Amino acid sequence: MKEIPILATTSFIYYDTRVMNVLRLMHLFDEIELLYFESRRIYDKVAENELLLLSKLNIKYCPHLPYDRDLNIKKDYKIMSNFVSNLTKLPTSFFFLHSNERDYQKIECLVEKFPSVLVENIKSSKVFDDLFETKVNYCVDIGHLLTNGENPFEILKKYEKKIKYIHLHGVKNGIDHLELYHLDKKLLLYIIDFAIEKKIGLSIELFGFKKLLRSLNYLLEVFEKYGYSYYRWYQKW
């Protein structure tokens, strides 16, 4: 059996707080991708009471940083830096950061201070080319590659040494963040084998319980058929 090294999912599976999502999901995953999308919203601010509660739970986190800030703006850069600094009070593996493709110098500065910040592909994988000669490492979002018409096999091979995490979700008719059975099976198996070989995490980046449940049951079928295992999963839910 080939053992899956690290599996994660998001903190928005249930329509509830991040803390309650973690409590309800932590028995199924190694890490939870804490979602902080819009830092100007009260809900997406880092609150001390939330940090305290999250710190008491026996699980690691891989936070998704806000995408509503321009790092080239001094105030926004400081806000993002403080965001990461506050979240490092938790047991974290990596942070996921969107780039506007004009902020590379500031991303390098942020990574110099916080090496666990990974840049994620959004509109294209061009950001990976542009930052290839830097210390910045990558999170590859498979769904974003597919919706942009890029070849995930080629991207994973090309940047394999700098890839530290993968976001995994299905795509159909240009819509992403769908169940995993919408992925080509050869691609899914390749991604799983890649993660095992590189010992990196896979985040099942879905929003909603039904989508996650259907995806987990599908993965269990794939695991059983192709000889994979994941120590936290023993039965269907």
Side-chain angles (χ1 to χ4, degrees):
M1 300 291 283
K2 295 180 284 187
E3 181 68 28
I4 309 299
I6 301 167
L7 277 181
T9 196
T10 75
S11 62
F12 194 39
I13 298 301
Y14 299 96
Y15 193 73
D16 209 327
T17 64
R18 279 178 284 268
V19 172
M20 289 306 299
N21 270 270
V22 174
L23 282 168
R24 298 175 76 173
L25 294 165
M26 58 188 292
H27 64 294
L28 297 175
F29 297 94
D30 298 294
E31 300 183 2
I32 300 296
E33 183 183 339
L34 298 174
L35 302 180
Y36 297 93
F37 286 156
E38 300 178 27
S39 61
R40 292 176 173 86
R41 297 193 313 170
I42 293 177
Y43 179 75
D44 278 350
K45 294 184 183 298
V46 180
E48 285 299 321
N49 61 332
E50 180 183 60
L51 287 178
L52 179 62
L53 291 171
L54 290 172
S55 69
K56 293 182 179 297
L57 303 178
N58 186 28
I59 191 167
K60 293 186 76 172
Y61 302 102
C62 47
H64 194 300
L65 297 171
Y67 48 64
D68 63 344
R69 297 289 176 175
D70 184 344
L71 298 184
N72 287 320
I73 299 173
K74 186 176 181 179
K75 178 182 176 183
D76 284 359
Y77 179 85
K78 184 176 181 180
I79 288 172
M80 189 69 79
S81 181
N82 288 339
F83 221 98
V84 179
S85 181
N86 283 330
L87 288 171
T88 55
K89 297 173 184 177
L90 300 174
T92 55
S93 59
F94 293 100
F95 297 84
F96 310 127
L97 175 69
H98 289 190
S99 168
N100 60 19
E101 298 184 0
R102 301 183 306 275
D103 54 5
Y104 296 152
Q105 185 177 1
K106 291 301 183 180
I107 289 177
E108 289 188 65
C109 291
L110 193 65
V111 169
E112 192 69 36
K113 188 175 181 181
F114 305 105
S116 56
V117 172
L118 307 178
V119 69
E120 177 185 344
N121 58 300
I122 305 302
K123 295 180 180 179
S124 75
S125 61
K126 179 179 180 296
V127 64
F128 296 157
D129 264 338
D130 294 343
L131 290 168
F132 190 75
E133 300 299 331
T134 72
K135 295 180 181 179
V136 181
N137 288 314
Y138 306 153
C139 168
V140 173
D141 189 297
I142 299 299
H144 293 167
L145 292 177
L146 293 171
T147 55
N148 294 321
E150 297 186 86
N151 187 322
F153 295 98
E154 293 179 358
I155 298 300
L156 292 174
K157 289 177 182 177
K158 185 175 182 180
Y159 303 109
E160 60 179 346
K161 292 183 180 180
K162 290 175 74 74
I163 297 170
K164 305 302 179 184
Y165 226 101
I166 294 175
H167 287 172
L168 196 57
H169 45 102
V171 175
K172 182 179 181 182
N173 299 325
I175 301 173
D176 59 3
H177 297 288
L178 298 179
E179 292 90 344
L180 296 186
Y181 51 71
H182 292 294
L183 286 173
D184 176 79
K185 188 171 289 184
K186 288 183 180 179
L187 174 59
L188 177 61
L189 295 176
Y190 184 87
I191 292 167
I192 294 172
D193 286 337
F194 183 93
I196 292 172
E197 179 186 349
K198 305 298 181 183
K199 295 180 174 60
I200 63 172
L202 295 171
S203 180
I204 304 171
E205 202 175 48
L206 298 173
F207 318 120
F209 173 74
K210 289 183 179 180
K211 286 182 180 179
L212 180 65
L213 179 62
R214 289 192 286 261
S215 293
L216 296 190
N217 280 325
Y218 175 67
L219 277 182
L220 283 171
E221 294 172 4
V222 171
F223 288 3
E224 183 177 350
K225 183 175 181 179
Y226 294 97
Y228 298 101
S229 64
Y230 178 56
Y231 71 104
R232 291 181 183 268
W233 299 358
Y234 300 101
Q235 60 186 8
K236 295 185 178 183
W237 297 276

